[in-house]
Amino acid sequence: MKPTHIRLRRACVAAAAAGALIGPAAAAAAGSAAAGAATAPAVSAPSPTPTTDAGFVQLTPAVAARLDAAVRQVMRETQVPGVTVGLWAPGKGSYVRTFGVADKATRAPMATDLHVRIGSETKTFTVTALLQLVDQKKIGLDDPIGKYIKGVPNGDRITLRQLAGMRSGLFNYSLDGDFIKKLQADPEQSFTPRQLLDYAFKHPVQFPPGAQFDYSNTNLILLGLVVEKVTGRPLHEVVTEKVLAPAGLRHTVFPTSAAMPDPYAHGYTNQTASGKIEDSTHWNPSWAWAAGAMVSDLQDLRSWARTLATGRLLTPATQAERLKTTPMNLPGDGYGLGIFNVQGWIGHNGSIPGYEVLPVYLPQARATMVILLNTDEQHEGQEPSTLFGQAVTAIVTPDHVYPGHKPLAPATG
């Protein structure tokens, strides 16, 4: 599914893959950040010869050099200020590198311990909290949303499963013109979930429930409210206690303000009222809430990618339901319940003004890939995280290239 190029453009699945969130404005201003080269050392496996067992190459020094060159090539093309790339596969070694700057004003380099906003990766946490309630027999996936939340168009027909699977037909509030104007006017203001739903519900439903796939942040706002209704607790408390703690994620937070935990990378976006690139680090993420407000770091996202894909916090039966995908727009791509499978990579991506993340897991190789960026500025209609993901997987998993729909020119230098 291609991104929708509108004023608030991060509303649909990034480059056909998944959960890109949105932010204001989309004038095509060119970034000026340098593709620097502060790097963390890679740890290579001892074997000097690359192999392709389980579809993942040996991460030798030679492969690491190819990855370095490919990442730098994409940085030159996209003008991304900073990027972190992490790869881990049992028996194949690991590769962890940082490139460029975390702060364009001070030129502080990117580092592996920096927090970033994770956008729609938040959806994986919200849906996990929801599915835990399914395991506890407190809700059913095929319950209508109207059982829990009143006033939802088609609320007697749209199920929780259809909301989590992006098949509700509800209009995406983040595409509403009045919402866009309000957010652009003051990106530090706070929104309530009910305000967000009001923007969505003034639009007619787009299709009957279940008829097709259409990525909508409205769905996750509703699911967040379901979690709150059933538990009687704020969503951020439920996610923290029931998801983050048992998953062992100590550097991941569901914020209730615009504050960023130290240390953090500054984020840069051209989704502004003027179309010029601005520092969006301290913009209030309340407008994204259950759909995209969370913050994390490299190692937590590494751990979470595996936990999410393997279903460690859920029963096997519920995880199986989660992984049942329906097609998006591309061969080899499917969306489950707050999760995607793109060319065998399982997980979710995220984009919010100033940041993008791509944490995914390849079960065949038990391999994890995490890519973090401190910009969301598109390059020729592509999410930058998608371009980095494709460049990296073309080298390490040539049979599972993410997202597998647009070949890149060979990397040079």
Side-chain angles (χ1 to χ4, degrees):
M1 184 175 185
K2 296 180 180 178
T4 302
H5 301 296
I6 55 172
R7 297 288 290 175
L8 219 59
R9 70 174 181 244
R10 299 294 192 265
C12 62
V13 176
L21 261 178
I22 54 93
S32 59
T39 62
V43 179
S44 299
S47 171
T49 305
T51 64
T52 56
D53 297 342
F56 198 98
V57 304
Q58 200 82 24
L59 292 171
T60 64
V63 170
R66 290 179 61 201
L67 289 167
D68 289 350
V71 171
R72 290 193 177 102
Q73 173 70 14
V74 177
M75 288 193 76
R76 284 192 292 270
E77 293 172 353
T78 61
Q79 294 294 290
V80 166
V83 59
T84 298
V85 178
L87 294 164
W88 303 266
K92 304 294 183 179
S94 62
Y95 169 94
V96 179
R97 289 280 204 274
T98 63
F99 303 81
V101 298
D103 185 335
K104 293 200 291 185
T106 67
R107 309 306 295 175
M110 283 291 280
T112 57
D113 63 344
L114 300 180
H115 291 87
V116 296
R117 299 195 187 277
I118 64 173
S120 283
E121 184 71 14
T122 302
K123 292 177 171 68
T124 65
F125 294 95
T126 300
V127 174
T128 296
L130 182 89
L131 294 177
Q132 289 176 329
L133 296 176
V134 172
D135 279 340
Q136 297 165 22
K137 312 297 184 186
K138 293 182 178 179
I139 63 173
L141 279 173
D142 296 312
D143 291 346
I145 184 61
K147 179 178 178 179
Y148 305 97
I149 310 297
K150 304 303 180 185
V152 180
N154 275 350
D156 59 337
R157 300 173 56 203
I158 297 171
T159 66
L160 304 185
R161 184 191 303 273
Q162 290 164 341
L163 291 167
M166 300 295 175
R167 304 183 72 85
S168 71
L170 294 173
F171 184 84
N172 189 344
Y173 70 86
S174 45
L175 303 186
D176 176 80
D178 291 336
F179 168 77
I180 295 169
K181 291 176 183 177
K182 186 173 177 65
L183 182 59
Q184 285 179 342
D186 179 11
E188 296 182 7
Q189 68 185 294
S190 182
F191 290 86
T192 68
R194 283 292 180 176
Q195 286 177 312
L196 302 176
L197 293 180
D198 287 344
Y199 287 113
F201 294 168
K202 69 182 185 181
H203 296 269
V205 295
Q206 301 180 97
F207 50 82
Q212 64 188 67
F213 175 89
D214 184 69
Y215 193 87
S216 174
N217 292 318
T218 302
N219 298 336
L220 267 291
I221 302 304
L222 286 168
L223 293 181
L225 290 174
V226 170
V227 172
E228 292 196 332
K229 178 74 175 289
V230 173
T231 63
R233 302 175 62 194
L235 178 62
H236 69 272
E237 290 185 4
V238 177
V239 168
T240 299
E241 180 181 332
K242 301 299 184 181
V243 183
L244 301 184
L249 306 183
R250 289 179 272 188
H251 302 284
T252 303
V253 295
F254 196 128
T256 57
S257 72
M260 282 283 280
D262 288 323
Y264 58 83
H266 283 252
Y268 301 93
T269 187
N270 65 344
Q271 296 202 81
T272 58
S274 67
K276 296 179 180 179
I277 296 173
E278 296 180 10
D279 186 328
S280 58
T281 307
H282 299 294
W283 287 7
N284 193 326
S286 63
W287 66 269
W289 193 52
M294 292 178 65
V295 175
S296 190
D297 71 358
L298 175 70
Q299 290 298 333
D300 268 16
L301 290 177
R302 171 193 176 185
S303 177
W304 178 243
R306 180 181 175 88
T307 295
L308 176 67
T310 59
R312 183 165 68 83
L313 301 185
L314 303 174
T315 64
T318 297
Q319 179 69 0
E321 291 298 309
R322 176 172 220 167
L323 294 178
K324 290 180 180 176
T325 62
T326 55
M328 293 189 279
N329 283 8
L330 299 169
D333 296 352
Y335 200 86
L337 303 181
I339 199 168
F340 65 59
N341 185 323
V342 175
Q343 307 301 331
W345 290 98
I346 295 174
H348 210 291
N349 64 350
S351 179
I352 195 167
Y355 301 93
E356 290 197 347
V357 300
L358 178 59
V360 286
Y361 183 76
L362 185 66
Q364 295 94 320
R366 293 180 293 152
T368 304
M369 176 175 69
V370 179
I371 297 174
L372 311 178
L373 312 176
N374 62 344
T375 186
D376 65 315
E377 185 180 355
Q378 291 189 349
H379 176 72
E380 297 181 352
Q382 291 282 318
E383 300 288 339
S385 61
T386 298
L387 297 176
F388 283 104
Q390 186 160 348
V392 169
T393 55
I395 293 170
V396 298
T397 55
D399 295 330
H400 301 277
V401 177
Y402 175 98
H405 71 286
K406 182 182 178 184
L408 293 176
T412 60

